[in-house]
Amino acid sequence: MAVVVVESPAKAKTINKYLGSNYTVLASYGHVRDLPPKDGSVDPEHDFNMKWEIASDSKKHIKAITDALKTDDELILATDPDREGEAISWHLQETLASALKKGKKVSRVTFNAITKAAVTEAMANPRQVDTALVEAYLARRALDYLVGFNLSPVLWRKLPGAKSAGRVQSVCLRLIVEREMEIEAFRAREYWTVTALLQTPRGQDFTARLTVLGGKKLDKFDIATATAAELAVQAITSRTLAVKSVEAKPASRNPYAPFMTSTLQQEASRKFGMGAKACMSTAQRLYEAGHITYMRTDGIDMAPEAVTAARDEISRRFGADYVPATPRIYKNKAKNAQEAHECIRPTDMTMSPDRLSVESDQRKLYDLIWKRTIASQMAAARMERTTVDIGSPDEQIELRATGQVMMFDGFLKVYDEGRDDDEGEDSARLPQIMQGEATEKKNITPEQHFTQPPARYTEATLVKRMEELGIGRPSTYASIVTTIQDRGYVRKDKNRLIPEDTGRLVTIFLSNYFRNYVEYDFTADLEDQLDDISAGNRDYKEVLARFWRDFSAAIAETSELRITDVLEKIDEVLSPHIYPARDDGSDPKSCPVCGTGRLNLKTARSGGAFIGCNNYPECRYTRPLTAPGGEDGATAGLDGKVLGVDDAGTPVTLRIGRFGPYVQLGEATAEAPKPPRASLPKGWAPEALELDRALALLSLPRPIGSHPEDGELVEASIGRFGPYVKHGKVYANITDVEEVFTIGMNRAVEVLAQKAARGPGRGAAAQPLKELGEHPDGGAIQVMPGRYGPYIKWGKINATLPNGLEPGAVTLEEALPILAEKAKKGGKPKATKAKAAAKPKAKTASKAAAKPKAAAKPKAAAKPKAAAKPKAAKKA
């Protein structure tokens, strides 16, 4: 018998069905070992020696494989067919070396799809672990470690609040930050277009756009004002119009290539709003169930048998007209032939999405993959595009109408790719129009436009841009985009990625002090070097040595930097964005409150940044870092705006502080240094705020009346956790902010009673959102609702559910690695096991009782950490 090792239990279960009882199929649950997260795991002084450590949760999986090898003579490593899969096989082979000494056979097999045919063929063609692919993995892992563990401490010391830096994540963050700065620097430009609703002699209407005015062809900005637009309207109105030419041209559209990793992530984001991580997790489940081919690939070629199967299915479903004369061949774009896997496609072309018995998110993604694959082998769409020019006899005016007619839909019958913008070809159908015919003017409309700033990145457009620049590789995109969000450097709002202040500061810091390492070309070149290593064309230690020589020198140069130096530099770089020119021509950096102070960049303990006056604490003026530009720029001119006065004649002003907009009653004085203030609730637009709303905020808490049972006051207000009603020491949340100003006693008593019914303290025990099943080590795994979002619970381990993963869609296979990662970071497994293990040792009751007491005394008295503190301080 042979032991076959794959990554996941789901994959093991599927493969076991194909191999039968002659094989023992076990799961490694991903990587079994990694570099310990501490200094010295990669040693540049000793030929980049790498120290590996078996993860605590992997030891039981290694033991299961070792036990199986005691009776089985062959180990078959069947991990995924990419660098990462090759690395897992290498780690397994190294870790199991002691169990493999007695002449046991070791081989490596790969398959692009988990089907019986693919698995059987792979087993018939084993090979050895690919050294070049492993070395490419070792180089990538060492590079990421050296950057992370040497650059992150510099950030912690020089830029308070920064969390980490990474070789690729920092470059990705730079893309988002620079796009935001482009948006902030953007100034809209006005322009006008003129369209006319015309009618043919047969009474059919169509629309045409003005293209020639005064005998001159119009450019985009030629009609720049309303006055110019009105003159253009008069010019059209005063002239007769006739059709000058009608030109119809045949056109065609070819289908898109099948999916690779990046294009699948982009399309899933466009059509379903699915993040890169969620997309890959869903695709992983489809792959492990045998429904699609391997989902981490930069190849777009398709196996000949798959092409034939797709053409047969097209003919069966849609007819011979939809099958092109010859199969479509898509050239593989992979730079490295060793990683040029097949495209992402269904393993069975006849398995339509409606026949698939899977969860809804998997069905949606499979539907996308199936349609794209089938469409990629279909005939082109054919259409007729018509252009009609209408002009005046004196040739001073000309308008153009365009449209198209679909002659044959071809691949569009099945699938059309989504777009990242609103621009597209004109698909309007034009009526019958003959050259020389007069047209009647029904309506002429001028329309004002403004140029738009570049759009913020979505996960789809970010992945597309990274792919264009050669940054990262298919298997890394999802983790990179997730990491910068988890670090708090970027937030996602309405599917758009917006840099937080901390992310902006980190980018400016790295761009100024480590510029080479966040350059797009440098990062892309390093990726090319890693590809060369995997192709066997470059020595990986030479690549590491060259990188480390320059990188360590750059780290050393920052040793004398002070935090004030860093902030001054960032302040200087960001000045055009955070201190925009003022309408009155005054100095943008002068304090608008005290008039004598200067504005400068400051950091908060939380890691955020804000603009403050250097006359602090005499002047307490602050505003957010991002106020002057972008969407946040709407608040830039509102700071200090007087909304009106209250009944006593005290002014009520709108202010923009470091934590957002708020209203203030009166001004700070020596007698009242802190005048009444109230923050604007979420969803309240500062530019639309009026006096009555401001006064309502300032009047909180609002008394509702005496409670009918005890006569104690019941009041409503807005607190740190949102709107609430209060009775004595009982606080009960309400969902709608507006209800704070309208809620009556009956409703308040009802809300308070509901809170009381949930019990004292934090309320009644929460009920699971989903039961996932038993953990391999025992104990139920559940998805639970939490105050800060849903989480996965197993024993005493609570692991937050990653963004993009819906509570109802989580599977046991997805939950296990999430729990393992949490346990590795400090979550504690069940204590019952440790207790159970301790019982056999306690054979004599007196000895068992004595030992803990003896051990307890020195533990309580000894404080070794106190002596260690000076050393740690000296090292820092």
Side-chain angles (χ1 to χ4, degrees), residues 214-335:
K216 176 192 169 187
K217 186 176 180 181
L218 289 173
D219 289 327
K220 183 175 183 178
F221 299 107
D222 281 351
I223 305 178
T225 64
T227 302
E230 280 302 323
L231 290 173
V233 170
Q234 291 173 19
I236 299 171
T237 306
S238 62
R239 287 169 169 80
T240 57
L241 299 176
V243 178
K244 292 179 62 178
S245 65
V246 178
E247 185 178 16
K249 288 184 178 179
S252 65
R253 275 181 63 189
N254 288 318
Y256 305 92
F259 281 130
M260 57 180 174
T261 302
S262 59
T263 51
L264 176 63
Q265 290 174 2
Q266 290 165 41
E267 193 69 343
S269 175
R270 292 185 194 111
K271 292 195 169 173
F272 309 136
M274 189 181 283
K277 185 176 181 179
C279 172
M280 295 312 291
S281 173
T282 305
Q284 176 91 31
R285 283 178 279 156
L286 287 169
Y287 166 67
E288 290 177 346
H291 298 310
I292 64 170
T293 53
Y294 191 54
M295 68 287 161
R296 290 189 179 91
T297 174
D298 48 13
I300 54 173
D301 57 318
M302 198 187 303
E305 61 272 19
V307 172
T308 301
R311 288 168 61 84
D312 290 344
E313 185 66 10
I314 294 163
S315 179
R316 185 181 73 81
R317 283 178 175 268
F318 309 111
D321 289 346
Y322 287 86
V323 183
T326 57
R328 293 188 181 276
I329 305 299
Y330 296 95
K331 188 177 179 182
N332 192 359
K333 294 181 180 179
K335 296 180 181 181

Side-chain angles (χ1 to χ4, degrees), residues 729-796:
K729 294 184 179 180
V730 178
Y731 292 79
N733 290 337
I734 52 181
T735 55
D736 188 1
V737 169
E738 297 299 329
E739 199 173 5
V740 169
F741 307 103
T742 60
I743 190 169
M745 183 58 71
N746 289 340
R747 168 69 176 146
V749 170
E750 179 189 352
V751 172
L752 289 164
Q754 289 171 353
K755 173 67 182 287
R758 291 196 293 268
R762 296 185 181 180
Q767 296 301 309
L769 299 173
K770 186 177 182 181
E771 297 281 356
L772 299 181
E774 287 288 309
H775 194 282
D777 291 344
I781 301 177
Q782 303 167 321
V783 181
M784 304 292 292
R787 180 177 180 180
Y788 302 107
Y791 63 94
I792 302 170
K793 180 177 179 61
W794 171 57
K796 293 186 178 181

Side-chain angles (χ1 to χ4, degrees), residues 503-834:
R504 189 184 295 245
L505 297 185
V506 166
T507 296
I508 301 301
F509 175 84
L510 295 176
S511 295
N512 278 275
Y513 298 105
F514 294 91
R515 183 165 191 81
N516 200 35
Y517 302 95
V518 289
E519 285 289 350
Y520 305 133
D521 290 345
F522 177 86
T523 308
D525 180 63
L526 205 50
E527 292 291 348
D528 289 342
Q529 292 181 48
L530 292 170
D531 284 343
D532 289 343
I533 294 169
S534 66
N537 298 329
R538 197 184 285 262
D539 183 88
Y540 85 98
K541 290 190 176 179
E542 286 182 10
V543 172
L544 291 174
R546 192 180 306 111
F547 175 87
W548 179 247
R549 182 190 62 218
D550 298 334
F551 183 68
S552 57
I555 292 285
E557 287 175 7
T558 64
S559 60
E560 301 301 320
L561 271 179
R562 296 178 302 167
I563 293 176
T564 52
D565 297 333
V566 172
L567 290 179
E568 285 175 7
K569 184 65 177 177
I570 294 174
D571 189 84
E572 176 189 333
V573 173
L574 288 178
S575 281
H577 301 277
I578 59 180
Y579 308 115
R582 293 177 179 171
D583 294 337
D584 60 4
S586 62
D587 184 357
K589 294 194 73 171
S590 65
C591 178
V593 173
C594 69
T596 59
R598 300 279 294 168
L599 301 182
N600 51 38
L601 181 68
K602 300 178 182 291
T603 55
R605 290 180 183 177
S606 63
F610 62 97
I611 305 300
C613 178
N614 64 1
N615 275 345
Y616 179 86
E618 288 76 19
C619 178
R620 294 177 175 269
Y621 172 80
T622 61
R623 68 165 171 80
L625 173 66
T626 52
E631 289 181 358
D632 297 318
T635 65
L638 299 177
D639 192 27
K641 177 184 176 182
V642 178
L643 300 174
V645 296
D646 68 356
D647 293 340
T650 308
V652 178
T653 53
L654 174 66
R655 306 294 178 102
I656 308 299
R658 51 192 279 204
F659 300 113
Y662 64 94
V663 289
Q664 178 174 304
L665 182 63
E667 295 292 338
T669 63
E671 295 77 21
K674 293 185 178 180
R677 292 176 176 175
S679 295
L680 267 62
K682 188 175 181 180
W684 283 31
E687 63 273 14
L689 187 68
E690 295 181 353
L691 177 63
D692 58 339
R693 302 284 275 170
L695 290 172
L697 274 178
L698 290 164
S699 68
L700 295 177
R702 169 181 161 259
I704 299 172
S706 299
H707 197 283
E709 291 181 4
D710 57 12
E712 194 168 351
L713 179 67
V714 178
E715 55 189 12
S717 191
I718 302 170
R720 181 179 176 187
F721 302 110
Y724 65 87
V725 291
K726 175 179 176 287
H727 170 230
K729 294 184 179 180
V730 178
Y731 292 79
N733 290 337
I734 52 181
T735 55
D736 188 1
V737 169
E738 297 299 329
E739 199 173 5
V740 169
F741 307 103
T742 60
I743 190 169
M745 183 58 71
N746 289 340
R747 168 69 176 146
V749 170
E750 179 189 352
V751 172
L752 289 164
Q754 289 171 353
K755 173 67 182 287
R758 291 196 293 268
R762 296 185 181 180
Q767 296 301 309
L769 299 173
K770 186 177 182 181
E771 297 281 356
L772 299 181
E774 287 288 309
H775 194 282
D777 291 344
I781 301 177
Q782 303 167 321
V783 181
M784 304 292 292
R787 180 177 180 180
Y788 302 107
Y791 63 94
I792 302 170
K793 180 177 179 61
W794 171 57
K796 293 186 178 181
I797 297 179
N798 296 333
T800 303
L801 206 62
N803 291 335
L805 197 55
E806 292 297 324
V810 187
T811 63
L812 179 62
E813 289 75 18
E814 289 177 310
L816 290 173
I818 296 171
L819 288 166
E821 184 67 23
K822 176 66 176 178
K824 193 188 301 182
K825 291 179 179 176
K828 295 183 179 179
K830 294 182 178 179
T832 51
K833 273 206 159 192

Side-chain angles (χ1 to χ4, degrees), residues 834-852:
K835 288 179 184 175
K839 281 183 182 177
K841 293 185 181 178
K843 291 182 180 179
T844 308
S846 59
K847 285 182 182 179
K851 282 183 181 179

